[in-house]
Amino acid sequence: MKLNVKSLAFGAAILTASQIFSQAVGFAFRVALSRMVGAEGMGLYQLIMPAYSVVMSVTAYGLTVAVSKLSASYSAVGGQATVRRLVRLALWVFFALLGAAAIIIAPLSDWISVTLLSDARTRLGLLLLLPCIFFTGIENICKNYFYGIREVRPPAITEVIEQLLRTACVLGLLSVLRPAHLEWAVGVIVIGMVLCEIVSASMLGFFYIRHMRKTPPGGSRLSDGPKPAKLLGEMAGVAIPVGASMLIANLLGSINTIIIPNRLMASGMGQTEALSAYGVAFGMTLPLTALPSVFVIPLSLTLMPRIAHYAALNDRAGLQTQVRRTLRLAAALVLPSCLLLMPLGPFMARSLFTDSQAGRYIEVLAVTQVFSCFQYLMNSLLNGMGKQRRGAVNLLLSDAVQLILTWYAVAVPELRLTGFVAAHLLTTAMCAILNLKAVTRTAGIYLSLDKWLIGPLLAAATATGGVYAVLFWMDGAGAAAVMPALFCGLGLYALLYRLTRR
């Protein structure tokens, strides 16, 4: 039987494999980085990342979603010439937006670093983010073109090479240059990121040009598709609400993360202690809880263009079937991968990062990650169905509530980071539930919890209890107990899941 390289299963499998490898390399990178620059250095590095997210939201994020969705829609009706014009137009819009952003950021970089990021040592890294974003935007537009036409191999290959290059460049530069100050260390990290993004953008650009030469355009005159003005309007119809929602969400999220060191100091901590606690939480613990995204991100990237394909053909039955299958698959993958982090995460964090505080709160954050994964997946479904505004409203509402709760809770001496964790759990769950409700209403389906959620949840919870039992039985073995406990948990989950499916 011939393998269908454009099927959802093949695309998700290829991207999952690349994500697993990339996450493993990325996690090893974070471990090595934390040991080279320390908790305070990780805190400084994490401070500039919200600025990166904000600029990407303004310049690229909405465009990449538009390219993926519209490429899928026009490819479904044979509009290859329109897809080519779409990619070119997206690139020019991205260049214009980034140029405008750079004109604002460069002269104000000192004020942004001191006033907004609350640490002058972030200025160098902030300036170096601009060339990094330039190449990242080119890479992501080309990458989402391939997602839209359901050709996942070029992005998967590039993702793997990018992670390897990032690790080699950043750690190599830090080892050779040995910066004496943390400001220079953060700058060196971003320089390494720029170098690997240059290679990634060049590779995807090469793949795109080669694919264009091999693919018949299906027409070459402007009359063969919508006029440039109409195409720009269609792209704006997707990009503006998605980009605006992500901009506001990232602004709220950036404020949320930037204020945490300040609110910790308001609770009685010193600056160094607050920044170190922030670096441990956001540079060591939270990345560990993101491991289950190796299943959700590939599924979302391959699913959204497929949903847009069904919507373009008005195939409501196909859309409903795809939504139901997606929810069942997501529950089967997300629940065990998140819940098993509850017993295993603290062991992994403390042994990998050699910090006694690493892994703190991970039990609650693992539960939060369940809702985060479903929130991300539901948002992709809404984008594919043309309901990006609904997803945007839900995200903004949850982020605004989280900001308010974080502001008050983190400054309470008895709560501090516990307040942030509780706020994060509450608001992520709220957004996931609102997104799920919007998806089922838009698709016109009714979901019975016992058919897609209860079985995997019971199996995952029981397997998690089994892992706790193995760790208790192997008390004293330390990190050596992680792998036996993990295999026991996975085996128990697989058995119980099959029983609940009968």
Side-chain angles (χ1 to χ4, degrees), residues 203-343:
M203 287 184 62
L204 274 167
F206 168 77
F207 284 132
Y208 172 75
I209 293 172
R210 189 178 68 171
H211 187 269
M212 286 294 99
R213 289 175 178 173
K214 292 182 178 179
T215 305
S220 58
R221 304 186 312 276
L222 289 177
S223 58
D224 295 323
K227 302 293 184 182
K230 183 181 179 182
L231 187 59
L232 181 62
E234 291 181 358
M235 187 169 66
V238 177
I240 289 177
V242 171
S245 68
M246 287 305 300
L247 171 61
I248 299 173
N250 277 318
L251 283 172
L252 292 175
S254 299
I255 295 171
N256 190 53
T257 54
I258 290 170
I259 67 171
I260 287 177
N262 290 325
R263 301 307 288 168
L264 287 173
M265 286 188 284
S267 73
M269 281 188 173
Q271 182 180 16
T272 299
E273 183 185 5
L275 194 57
S276 296
Y278 174 77
V280 170
F282 285 81
M284 300 179 188
T285 305
L286 276 176
L288 184 62
T289 64
L291 291 177
S293 64
V294 299
F295 301 112
V296 175
I297 292 177
L299 186 59
S300 298
L301 290 174
T302 53
L303 183 65
M304 197 267 279
R306 186 170 292 269
I307 294 296
H309 177 91
Y310 287 128
L313 298 178
N314 294 317
D315 186 354
R316 191 167 182 80
L319 186 148
Q320 292 175 340
T321 299
Q322 194 67 69
V323 170
R324 289 192 179 95
R325 288 177 177 173
T326 299
L327 289 173
R328 287 196 294 267
L329 179 60
L333 295 174
V334 168
L335 289 170
S337 60
C338 290
L339 295 187
L340 289 178
L341 279 175
M342 296 174 68

Side-chain angles (χ1 to χ4, degrees), residues 97-118:
L97 291 174
L98 182 59
I103 290 174
I104 297 172
I105 292 172
L108 297 177
S109 59
D110 188 57
W111 178 82
I112 293 172
S113 62
V114 173
T115 306
L116 298 183
L117 302 183
S118 302

Side-chain angles (χ1 to χ4, degrees), residues 340 343-344 347 462-492:
L340 289 178
L344 296 174
F347 281 85
T462 306
T464 301
V467 172
Y468 273 117
V470 172
L471 292 176
F472 178 79
W473 178 62
M474 298 183 67
D475 184 36
V482 170
M483 293 309 295
L486 175 61
F487 286 125
C488 175
L490 291 176
L492 187 57

Side-chain angles (χ1 to χ4, degrees), residues 83-274:
V83 174
R84 296 186 181 199
R85 290 195 291 272
L86 171 70
V87 174
R88 289 197 297 269
L89 187 60
L91 286 170
W92 281 114
V93 173
F94 166 69
F95 295 150
L97 291 174
L98 182 59
I103 290 174
I104 297 172
I105 292 172
L108 297 177
S109 59
D110 188 57
W111 178 82
I112 293 172
S113 62
V114 173
T115 306
L116 298 183
L117 302 183
S118 302
D119 200 308
R121 292 174 294 177
T122 59
R123 181 174 182 267
L124 178 60
L126 180 67
L127 287 172
L128 291 172
L129 281 177
L130 293 173
C132 183
I133 291 171
F134 175 79
F135 293 105
T136 302
I138 296 173
E139 172 199 349
N140 286 344
I141 288 173
C142 294
K143 186 182 291 185
N144 279 270
Y145 159 76
F146 285 112
Y147 292 146
I149 63 171
R150 292 185 284 173
E151 179 57 70
V152 300
R153 287 171 292 183
I157 293 170
T158 307
E159 181 73 22
V160 170
I161 294 175
E162 179 182 344
Q163 285 294 336
L164 291 172
L165 279 175
R166 176 174 299 173
T167 301
C169 289
V170 173
L171 299 183
L173 287 174
L174 285 173
S175 298
V176 172
L177 298 178
R178 297 182 181 276
H181 303 287
L182 288 179
E183 177 182 8
W184 290 101
V186 173
V188 170
I189 293 172
V190 180
I191 290 173
M193 292 168 58
V194 172
L195 294 176
C196 77
E197 290 297 341
I198 291 173
V199 176
S200 298
S202 301
M203 287 184 62
L204 274 167
F206 168 77
F207 284 132
Y208 172 75
I209 293 172
R210 189 178 68 171
H211 187 269
M212 286 294 99
R213 289 175 178 173
K214 292 182 178 179
T215 305
S220 58
R221 304 186 312 276
L222 289 177
S223 58
D224 295 323
K227 302 293 184 182
K230 183 181 179 182
L231 187 59
L232 181 62
E234 291 181 358
M235 187 169 66
V238 177
I240 289 177
V242 171
S245 68
M246 287 305 300
L247 171 61
I248 299 173
N250 277 318
L251 283 172
L252 292 175
S254 299
I255 295 171
N256 190 53
T257 54
I258 290 170
I259 67 171
I260 287 177
N262 290 325
R263 301 307 288 168
L264 287 173
M265 286 188 284
S267 73
M269 281 188 173
Q271 182 180 16
T272 299
E273 183 185 5

